[in-house]
Amino acid sequence: EVVLTQSPATLSLSPGDRATLSCRASESITGKYLAWYQQSPGQAPRLLIYAASNRATGIPDRFSGSGSGTAFTLTITRLEPEDFAVYYCQQYGSSPPWTFGQGTKVEI
Amino acid sequence: EVQLVQSGAEVKKPGDSLRISCKGSGYTFSTYWIAWVRQLPGQGLEWMGVIYPGDSDTSYSPSFKGHVTLSADESTSTAYLQWTSLKASDSAMYYCARLPGFHYHMDVWGKGTTVTVSS
């Protein structure tokens, strides 16, 4: 099973700041099959990024994803108040199970 | 509009059986995979398994295999997550989500079903 490790666990920032979230895999992820999800309090997760760098429909361009192999990054430029949430990476390149990272909380 | 509508909150006792549902609409249900994801209170997301409603092909996480059963009914566009004997440790939020293909991301999520197991 591929283990995803996200860092930092918590990121304390202010509106307008830039956020850089890391996701590292225990083995290389085939085909850049990595997604990022946002979960706001009391809400279901929402897809932000798929295939490492593709924004999902309706996602603002302040969200971007990059990386390959075992190292991936989610960048949020100019944090908006609604961006303060928990972010999860997930790999779906290996044979199942398609694991999640433990999450990074972006807080004010 | 593409939606996954999940069944309501459940309160059960240890040893009870339970089936929760996830109804798809706004797309061809049988041609997309459905995954189930568990979130324990205050914790992260755990991938449980996935089913293809077109032929009921399934894949389970080893962590959940043998304890839950995934099924789907094409005629009602509904996927199910089932337990035959609940434990207190099954108390969690359960989400269903749609996948455009087998090795794909989860692009549409249900709002979740809360399951509480308590004596």
Side-chain angles (χ1 to χ4, degrees), chain A residues 34-39 44-51 54-59 88 90 92, chain B residues 98 100 104-109:
Chain A
L34 185 115
W36 290 93
Y37 302 89
Q38 176 194 63
Q39 188 176 33
R46 175 175 74 142
L47 176 68
L48 296 176
I49 301 287
Y50 63 94
N54 296 276
R55 271 189 303 277
T57 302
I59 301 303
Y88 295 95
Q90 184 227 357
Y92 46 95
Chain B
R98 187 185 81 159
Y104 271 80
H105 49 279
M106 292 176 276
D107 66 348
V108 177
W109 290 68

Side-chain angles (χ1 to χ4, degrees), chain A residues 37 39 44 50 92 94 96 98, chain B residues 39 47 59 95 102-103 106 110:
Chain A
Y37 302 89
Q39 188 176 33
Y50 63 94
Y92 46 95
S94 66
W98 296 323
Chain B
Q39 187 166 38
W47 188 88
S59 183
Y95 295 102
F102 188 63
H103 280 284
M106 292 176 276

Side-chain angles (χ1 to χ4, degrees), chain B residues 1-39:
Chain B
E1 179 191 4
V2 175
Q3 286 190 89
L4 294 174
V5 178
Q6 296 189 235
S7 50
E10 301 276 0
V11 180
K12 293 290 188 179
K13 296 188 185 308
D16 283 353
S17 62
L18 175 64
R19 188 175 76 167
I20 62 175
S21 66
C22 169
K23 183 175 176 62
S25 63
Y27 72 100
T28 304
F29 183 75
S30 61
T31 62
Y32 287 76
W33 292 76
I34 294 287
W36 289 88
V37 175
R38 183 175 79 173
Q39 187 166 38

